[in-house]
Amino acid sequence: MRESMKNEMTLEFDAISDNESFARVAVAAFVSHLNPTLEEIADIKTAVSEAVTNSIIHGYDNLYGYGRQGGGRAAHQKIHPGKVRIHCVLEGDSLHIEIRDRGKGIEDVEKAMEPLFTTRPELERSGMGFAFMEAFMDDLEVDSRPGEGTCVTMQKRLGAGSWIDGED
Amino acid sequence: MQEQKTGTEDWEGFQVVNNCLMVRLPEEVDHHKAGIFSERADWYIVKKKVDHVIFDFQDTRFMDSSGVGVIMGRYKKISCLGGRVYIVNADRQVRRILRLSGMDRLVEVVEAHPGDGKGGESPSAENMSSIMGKPVICRDVSLKTAQKAAQK
Protein backbone atom coordinates (compact mmCIF):
# COMPACT_ATOMS: atom_id res chain seq x y z
CA MET A 1 0.00 0.00 0.00
CA ARG A 2 1.40 3.31 -1.10
CA GLU A 3 1.67 5.95 1.57
CA SER A 4 -0.67 8.82 0.80
CA MET A 5 1.35 11.62 -0.67
CA LYS A 6 0.68 15.02 -2.12
CA ASN A 7 2.72 16.62 -4.84
CA GLU A 8 1.94 19.75 -6.78
CA MET A 9 3.35 21.63 -9.75
CA THR A 10 2.47 24.64 -11.84
CA LEU A 11 3.66 25.38 -15.33
CA GLU A 12 3.07 28.51 -17.35
CA PHE A 13 4.15 28.98 -20.93
CA ASP A 14 3.44 31.02 -24.04
CA ALA A 15 0.45 29.95 -26.09
CA ILE A 16 2.36 28.83 -29.16
CA SER A 17 2.16 25.45 -30.86
CA ASP A 18 5.87 24.84 -30.28
CA ASN A 19 4.98 24.27 -26.61
CA GLU A 20 2.34 21.56 -27.14
CA SER A 21 4.90 18.80 -27.05
CA PHE A 22 6.71 20.30 -24.06
CA ALA A 23 3.47 20.56 -22.05
CA ARG A 24 2.38 16.95 -22.43
CA VAL A 25 5.87 15.58 -21.84
CA ALA A 26 6.25 17.71 -18.69
CA VAL A 27 3.00 16.39 -17.20
CA ALA A 28 3.95 12.83 -18.11
CA ALA A 29 7.33 13.31 -16.41
CA PHE A 30 5.62 14.71 -13.32
CA VAL A 31 3.70 11.45 -12.74
CA SER A 32 6.56 9.16 -13.75
CA HIS A 33 7.64 8.25 -10.20
CA LEU A 34 4.28 6.53 -9.69
CA ASN A 35 5.34 4.00 -12.31
CA PRO A 36 2.34 4.51 -14.56
CA THR A 37 1.72 2.03 -17.37
CA LEU A 38 2.48 2.98 -20.96
CA GLU A 39 -1.28 3.28 -21.57
CA GLU A 40 -1.71 5.67 -18.66
CA ILE A 41 1.16 7.81 -19.92
CA ALA A 42 -0.33 7.83 -23.42
CA ASP A 43 -3.77 8.74 -22.01
CA ILE A 44 -2.39 11.67 -20.02
CA LYS A 45 -0.23 12.94 -22.86
CA THR A 46 -3.12 12.85 -25.30
CA ALA A 47 -5.56 14.56 -22.93
CA VAL A 48 -3.05 17.31 -22.07
CA SER A 49 -2.19 17.77 -25.73
CA GLU A 50 -5.87 18.20 -26.65
CA ALA A 51 -6.55 20.76 -23.92
CA VAL A 52 -3.37 22.77 -24.53
CA THR A 53 -3.91 22.76 -28.31
CA ASN A 54 -7.47 24.00 -27.81
CA SER A 55 -6.21 26.88 -25.66
CA ILE A 56 -3.58 27.83 -28.22
CA ILE A 57 -5.60 27.66 -31.40
CA HIS A 58 -9.10 28.45 -30.19
CA GLY A 59 -8.41 30.50 -27.05
CA TYR A 60 -5.65 32.65 -28.48
CA ASP A 61 -6.08 32.05 -32.21
CA ASN A 62 -2.43 31.08 -32.64
CA LEU A 63 -2.68 28.67 -35.53
CA TYR A 64 1.02 28.49 -36.24
CA GLY A 65 4.03 28.63 -34.00
CA TYR A 66 7.51 29.86 -34.85
CA GLY A 67 8.94 28.04 -37.84
CA ARG A 68 6.87 25.09 -38.82
CA GLN A 69 8.45 21.70 -39.09
CA GLY A 70 10.42 21.32 -42.29
CA GLY A 71 9.33 24.71 -43.53
CA GLY A 72 12.03 26.78 -41.92
CA ARG A 73 10.16 29.96 -42.74
CA ALA A 74 8.94 32.64 -40.41
CA ALA A 75 5.29 32.41 -39.49
CA HIS A 76 3.28 34.64 -41.74
CA GLN A 77 0.77 35.08 -39.01
CA LYS A 78 1.04 37.33 -36.06
CA ILE A 79 1.50 35.51 -32.76
CA HIS A 80 -1.08 36.68 -30.26
CA PRO A 81 0.31 37.11 -26.76
CA GLY A 82 -1.10 34.79 -24.13
CA LYS A 83 -0.19 32.16 -21.60
CA VAL A 84 -1.41 28.68 -20.84
CA ARG A 85 -1.18 27.58 -17.25
CA ILE A 86 -1.10 23.95 -16.15
CA HIS A 87 -1.60 23.09 -12.51
CA CYS A 88 -1.17 19.45 -11.48
CA VAL A 89 -1.84 17.87 -8.12
CA LEU A 90 -0.93 14.29 -7.33
CA GLU A 91 -2.73 13.01 -4.28
CA GLY A 92 -2.12 9.38 -3.50
CA ASP A 93 -2.70 7.71 -6.84
CA SER A 94 -5.00 10.43 -8.18
CA LEU A 95 -3.84 12.95 -10.73
CA HIS A 96 -5.69 16.23 -10.97
CA ILE A 97 -4.88 18.50 -13.92
CA GLU A 98 -6.11 22.01 -14.48
CA ILE A 99 -5.38 23.69 -17.81
CA ARG A 100 -6.32 27.33 -17.92
CA ASP A 101 -6.12 30.10 -20.48
CA ARG A 102 -7.20 33.72 -20.58
CA GLY A 103 -8.28 33.48 -24.19
CA LYS A 104 -11.57 34.19 -25.86
CA GLY A 105 -13.54 31.47 -24.10
CA ILE A 106 -16.24 29.15 -25.37
CA GLU A 107 -19.75 30.40 -26.18
CA ASP A 108 -21.50 27.07 -25.78
CA VAL A 109 -19.51 24.51 -23.81
CA GLU A 110 -22.05 21.73 -24.27
CA LYS A 111 -21.95 22.18 -28.03
CA ALA A 112 -18.15 22.38 -28.06
CA MET A 113 -17.94 19.04 -26.29
CA GLU A 114 -19.99 17.21 -28.91
CA PRO A 115 -17.82 14.83 -30.92
CA LEU A 116 -16.93 16.16 -34.38
CA PHE A 117 -18.19 19.66 -33.56
CA THR A 118 -15.70 22.38 -34.40
CA THR A 119 -15.90 26.13 -34.84
CA ARG A 120 -12.94 25.98 -37.24
CA PRO A 121 -13.65 23.29 -39.85
CA GLU A 122 -11.09 24.86 -42.19
CA LEU A 123 -8.30 23.84 -39.82
CA GLU A 124 -9.11 20.20 -40.58
CA ARG A 125 -8.62 19.02 -37.10
CA SER A 126 -11.07 16.33 -36.20
CA GLY A 127 -13.41 17.89 -33.64
CA MET A 128 -12.51 15.03 -31.34
CA GLY A 129 -10.52 16.96 -28.72
CA PHE A 130 -12.99 16.91 -25.84
CA ALA A 131 -14.11 13.38 -26.77
CA PHE A 132 -10.51 12.20 -26.39
CA MET A 133 -10.11 14.02 -23.07
CA GLU A 134 -13.28 12.35 -21.82
CA ALA A 135 -12.23 8.94 -23.06
CA PHE A 136 -8.71 9.02 -21.71
CA MET A 137 -9.35 10.57 -18.31
CA ASP A 138 -11.75 9.52 -15.53
CA ASP A 139 -13.36 12.91 -15.12
CA LEU A 140 -13.56 16.07 -17.22
CA GLU A 141 -15.02 19.46 -16.44
CA VAL A 142 -14.97 22.52 -18.64
CA ASP A 143 -15.59 25.97 -17.28
CA SER A 144 -15.56 28.83 -19.73
CA ARG A 145 -16.77 32.38 -20.11
CA PRO A 146 -16.65 34.23 -23.42
CA GLY A 147 -13.98 36.92 -23.24
CA GLU A 148 -12.48 35.59 -20.03
CA GLY A 149 -10.98 32.25 -20.90
CA THR A 150 -11.38 28.56 -20.35
CA CYS A 151 -10.45 26.17 -17.58
CA VAL A 152 -10.36 22.44 -18.26
CA THR A 153 -10.17 20.21 -15.19
CA MET A 154 -9.36 16.54 -15.55
CA GLN A 155 -8.83 13.71 -13.09
CA LYS A 156 -7.30 10.33 -13.48
CA ARG A 157 -6.65 7.53 -11.04
CA LEU A 158 -3.37 5.84 -11.77
CA GLY A 159 -2.75 2.17 -11.24
CA ALA A 160 -6.47 1.44 -11.54
CA GLY A 161 -5.84 -0.99 -14.36
CA SER A 162 -6.19 -0.12 -17.96
CA TRP A 163 -9.43 -0.49 -19.89
CA ILE A 164 -7.44 -1.69 -22.86
CA ASP A 165 -6.17 -4.77 -20.98
CA GLY A 166 -6.55 -7.85 -23.07
CA GLU A 167 -7.81 -5.96 -26.08
CA ASP A 168 -4.79 -6.53 -28.25
CA MET B 1 -0.85 30.35 -47.68
CA GLN B 2 0.00 27.46 -49.98
CA GLU B 3 3.63 26.57 -50.13
CA GLN B 4 5.15 26.73 -53.60
CA LYS B 5 6.82 23.58 -54.76
CA THR B 6 10.01 24.01 -56.72
CA GLY B 7 12.10 21.36 -58.38
CA THR B 8 11.29 17.70 -58.81
CA GLU B 9 12.64 16.35 -55.52
CA ASP B 10 10.02 15.02 -53.11
CA TRP B 11 9.75 16.54 -49.68
CA GLU B 12 11.31 14.55 -46.86
CA GLY B 13 8.91 11.83 -45.79
CA PHE B 14 6.98 11.97 -49.07
CA GLN B 15 7.39 9.45 -51.84
CA VAL B 16 5.29 8.46 -54.85
CA VAL B 17 5.40 4.79 -55.80
CA ASN B 18 3.12 3.40 -58.54
CA ASN B 19 1.14 6.64 -58.38
CA CYS B 20 0.46 6.05 -54.66
CA LEU B 21 1.54 8.71 -52.21
CA MET B 22 3.51 7.32 -49.29
CA VAL B 23 3.71 9.68 -46.32
CA ARG B 24 6.07 8.83 -43.50
CA LEU B 25 4.75 10.70 -40.49
CA PRO B 26 7.00 12.15 -37.77
CA GLU B 27 7.52 10.83 -34.24
CA GLU B 28 4.82 13.05 -32.81
CA VAL B 29 1.74 13.93 -34.86
CA ASP B 30 0.16 16.87 -33.07
CA HIS B 31 -1.25 20.21 -34.23
CA HIS B 32 2.23 21.72 -34.43
CA LYS B 33 3.49 19.06 -36.83
CA ALA B 34 0.25 18.21 -38.63
CA GLY B 35 -0.34 21.33 -40.74
CA ILE B 36 2.61 21.02 -43.06
CA PHE B 37 1.92 17.32 -43.68
CA SER B 38 -1.70 18.01 -44.63
CA GLU B 39 -0.68 20.83 -46.94
CA ARG B 40 2.00 18.81 -48.69
CA ALA B 41 -0.15 15.67 -49.01
CA ASP B 42 -2.87 17.83 -50.61
CA TRP B 43 -0.36 19.08 -53.13
CA TYR B 44 0.26 15.50 -54.29
CA ILE B 45 -3.47 14.72 -54.34
CA VAL B 46 -4.51 17.82 -56.26
CA LYS B 47 -1.47 18.62 -58.41
CA LYS B 48 0.09 15.19 -58.90
CA LYS B 49 -3.24 13.35 -58.98
CA VAL B 50 -2.03 10.35 -56.99
CA ASP B 51 -4.49 7.42 -56.81
CA HIS B 52 -4.16 6.47 -53.15
CA VAL B 53 -2.54 7.74 -49.97
CA ILE B 54 -0.58 5.55 -47.59
CA PHE B 55 0.27 6.90 -44.15
CA ASP B 56 3.27 5.18 -42.63
CA PHE B 57 3.33 5.43 -38.82
CA GLN B 58 6.61 3.55 -38.43
CA ASP B 59 8.29 6.44 -36.61
CA THR B 60 5.19 7.67 -34.78
CA ARG B 61 4.93 7.22 -31.02
CA PHE B 62 2.35 9.90 -30.30
CA MET B 63 -0.76 11.09 -32.09
CA ASP B 64 -3.67 13.24 -30.94
CA SER B 65 -6.87 14.48 -32.60
CA SER B 66 -4.89 16.72 -34.95
CA GLY B 67 -3.43 13.55 -36.45
CA VAL B 68 -6.95 12.21 -36.94
CA GLY B 69 -7.66 15.47 -38.76
CA VAL B 70 -4.73 14.87 -41.12
CA ILE B 71 -6.06 11.44 -42.06
CA MET B 72 -9.72 12.51 -42.17
CA GLY B 73 -8.99 15.53 -44.38
CA ARG B 74 -6.99 13.45 -46.84
CA TYR B 75 -9.65 10.73 -46.76
CA LYS B 76 -12.33 13.25 -47.74
CA LYS B 77 -10.28 14.53 -50.68
CA ILE B 78 -8.98 11.24 -52.06
CA SER B 79 -12.30 9.39 -51.66
CA CYS B 80 -13.99 12.08 -53.78
CA LEU B 81 -11.52 11.15 -56.50
CA GLY B 82 -12.15 7.45 -56.05
CA GLY B 83 -8.99 6.76 -54.08
CA ARG B 84 -8.41 5.20 -50.69
CA VAL B 85 -6.36 5.83 -47.59
CA TYR B 86 -4.19 3.12 -46.09
CA ILE B 87 -2.46 3.10 -42.74
CA VAL B 88 0.60 0.99 -42.13
CA ASN B 89 2.86 0.30 -39.16
CA ALA B 90 0.53 1.85 -36.57
CA ASP B 91 1.53 0.99 -33.02
CA ARG B 92 -0.84 0.42 -30.07
CA GLN B 93 -1.17 4.08 -29.19
CA VAL B 94 -1.97 5.10 -32.77
CA ARG B 95 -4.41 2.18 -33.14
CA ARG B 96 -6.32 3.22 -30.03
CA ILE B 97 -6.72 6.73 -31.40
CA LEU B 98 -7.86 5.40 -34.77
CA ARG B 99 -10.35 3.07 -33.12
CA LEU B 100 -11.72 5.68 -30.75
CA SER B 101 -12.20 8.22 -33.53
CA GLY B 102 -13.86 5.65 -35.81
CA MET B 103 -11.19 6.27 -38.45
CA ASP B 104 -10.45 2.55 -38.61
CA ARG B 105 -13.84 2.13 -40.29
CA LEU B 106 -13.09 4.66 -43.03
CA VAL B 107 -9.53 3.82 -43.90
CA GLU B 108 -7.73 0.54 -44.31
CA VAL B 109 -5.53 -0.21 -41.35
CA VAL B 110 -3.04 -2.71 -42.66
CA GLU B 111 -1.61 -5.12 -40.12
CA ALA B 112 2.08 -4.47 -39.74
CA HIS B 113 2.78 -8.00 -38.65
CA PRO B 114 0.35 -10.49 -40.14
CA GLY B 115 0.25 -13.98 -38.71
CA ASP B 116 1.96 -14.61 -35.43
CA GLY B 117 2.54 -10.94 -34.65
CA LYS B 118 6.28 -11.38 -34.80
CA GLY B 119 8.72 -11.20 -37.63
CA GLY B 120 6.04 -10.61 -40.27
CA GLU B 121 7.00 -8.52 -43.21
CA SER B 122 6.32 -4.90 -42.56
CA PRO B 123 4.42 -3.17 -45.36
CA SER B 124 6.63 -0.88 -47.36
CA ALA B 125 6.14 1.29 -50.39
CA GLU B 126 7.41 -1.55 -52.54
CA ASN B 127 5.09 -4.30 -51.34
CA MET B 128 2.02 -2.13 -50.71
CA SER B 129 0.83 -2.53 -54.30
CA SER B 130 0.51 -6.28 -53.82
CA ILE B 131 -1.42 -5.73 -50.60
CA MET B 132 -3.77 -3.30 -52.27
CA GLY B 133 -4.46 -5.73 -55.09
CA LYS B 134 -6.36 -7.93 -52.66
CA PRO B 135 -10.08 -7.22 -52.30
CA VAL B 136 -10.11 -7.47 -48.52
CA ILE B 137 -7.44 -5.86 -46.44
CA CYS B 138 -6.58 -7.45 -43.15
CA ARG B 139 -8.33 -5.13 -40.70
CA ASP B 140 -7.96 -4.89 -36.97
CA VAL B 141 -9.50 -8.28 -36.34
CA SER B 142 -8.59 -8.60 -32.70
CA LEU B 143 -11.12 -5.98 -31.58
CA LYS B 144 -13.99 -7.55 -33.50
CA THR B 145 -13.11 -10.96 -32.12
CA ALA B 146 -13.02 -9.50 -28.62
CA GLN B 147 -16.40 -7.79 -29.08
CA LYS B 148 -17.99 -11.00 -30.34
CA ALA B 149 -16.57 -12.88 -27.40
CA ALA B 150 -17.93 -10.25 -25.01
CA GLN B 151 -21.44 -10.53 -26.47
CA LYS B 152 -21.60 -14.25 -25.77
Side-chain angles (χ1 to χ4, degrees):
Chain A
M1 194 61 197
R2 198 182 283 135
E3 204 182 311
S4 185
M5 53 81 95
K6 197 175 172 194
N7 191 11
E8 220 175 310
M9 74 104 166
T10 304
L11 203 63
E12 197 178 57
F13 49 89
D14 280 344
I16 48 170
S17 65
D18 308 57
N19 283 332
E20 289 160 6
S21 162
F22 159 70
R24 61 178 179 259
V25 170
V27 175
F30 178 67
V31 301
S32 66
H33 65 276
L34 288 183
N35 285 327
T37 63
L38 286 175
E39 266 78 28
E40 286 169 338
I41 287 285
D43 290 350
I44 293 165
K45 281 171 82 175
T46 310
V48 169
S49 191
E50 301 296 350
V52 168
T53 305
N54 277 349
S55 288
I56 293 170
I57 68 178
H58 295 292
Y60 295 110
D61 213 9
N62 282 334
L63 306 188
Y64 306 109
Y66 294 102
R68 297 163 70 195
Q69 198 262 343
R73 64 209 163 113
H76 51 269
Q77 275 207 334
K78 190 176 165 259
I79 304 253
H80 305 100
K83 307 271 185 204
V84 179
R85 188 171 161 275
I86 300 183
H87 181 218
C88 288
V89 182
L90 257 178
E91 222 171 343
D93 54 8
S94 261
L95 171 66
H96 176 102
I97 310 174
E98 204 181 87
I99 298 174
R100 185 186 289 275
D101 67 64
R102 298 267 170 228
K104 71 176 176 201
I106 304 169
E107 296 274 353
D108 186 343
V109 172
E110 216 170 293
K111 186 110 195 139
M113 289 177 78
E114 280 174 20
L116 303 177
F117 175 83
T118 177
T119 51
R120 309 288 297 265
E122 78 282 7
L123 297 184
E124 285 200 324
R125 291 179 72 245
S126 59
M128 301 284 298
F130 281 122
F132 281 7
M133 287 181 236
E134 241 171 347
F136 291 136
M137 303 298 275
D138 295 334
D139 189 52
L140 168 70
E141 270 172 52
V142 183
D143 184 26
S144 186
R145 273 185 205 94
E148 286 178 33
T150 301
C151 181
V152 171
T153 312
M154 301 183 282
Q155 312 247 27
K156 190 175 181 68
R157 233 191 100 208
L158 300 169
S162 171
W163 56 269
I164 203 162
D165 268 353
E167 205 174 89
D168 285 343
Chain B
M1 173 86 196
Q2 275 291 325
E3 188 174 22
Q4 289 305 305
K5 181 101 168 72
T6 51
T8 52
E9 287 281 297
D10 285 314
W11 282 296
E12 201 194 326
F14 289 76
Q15 196 186 354
V16 178
V17 178
N18 296 335
N19 217 31
C20 281
L21 173 65
M22 190 95 180
V23 185
R24 191 158 170 165
L25 291 164
E27 193 178 340
E28 305 207 304
V29 187
D30 59 4
H31 152 249
H32 183 65
K33 297 275 176 78
I36 197 97
F37 278 87
S38 297
E39 241 176 61
R40 288 176 176 179
D42 283 352
W43 183 86
Y44 284 95
I45 294 170
V46 176
K47 294 270 163 69
K48 288 283 202 176
K49 301 188 166 51
V50 292
D51 295 328
H52 305 284
V53 181
I54 304 161
F55 286 108
D56 185 352
F57 282 87
Q58 190 170 317
D59 303 327
T60 306
R61 296 293 157 267
F62 176 86
M63 179 169 90
D64 65 12
S65 68
S66 303
V68 176
V70 175
I71 303 166
M72 201 186 277
R74 277 5 85 203
Y75 167 79
K76 282 180 186 163
K77 290 193 173 75
I78 202 90
S79 60
C80 283
L81 303 163
R84 303 178 93 167
V85 172
Y86 298 83
I87 287 173
V88 298
N89 297 323
D91 71 3
R92 246 165 98 109
Q93 209 277 124
V94 173
R95 275 161 193 272
R96 287 173 73 199
I97 299 282
L98 293 173
R99 194 176 299 152
L100 200 64
S101 60
M103 281 310 293
D104 58 346
R105 289 186 297 249
L106 297 178
V107 304
E108 304 289 350
V109 181
V110 182
E111 288 288 340
H113 304 290
D116 61 359
K118 277 182 205 138
E121 201 185 350
S122 166
S124 65
E126 286 68 35
N127 65 24
M128 264 312 283
S129 54
S130 64
I131 293 169
M132 288 188 299
K134 294 175 192 169
V136 180
I137 299 292
C138 181
R139 293 266 198 118
D140 205 343
V141 195
S142 57
L143 177 69
K144 280 174 197 155
T145 320
Q147 280 170 342
K148 263 187 196 162
Q151 279 164 6
K152 278 179 190 166

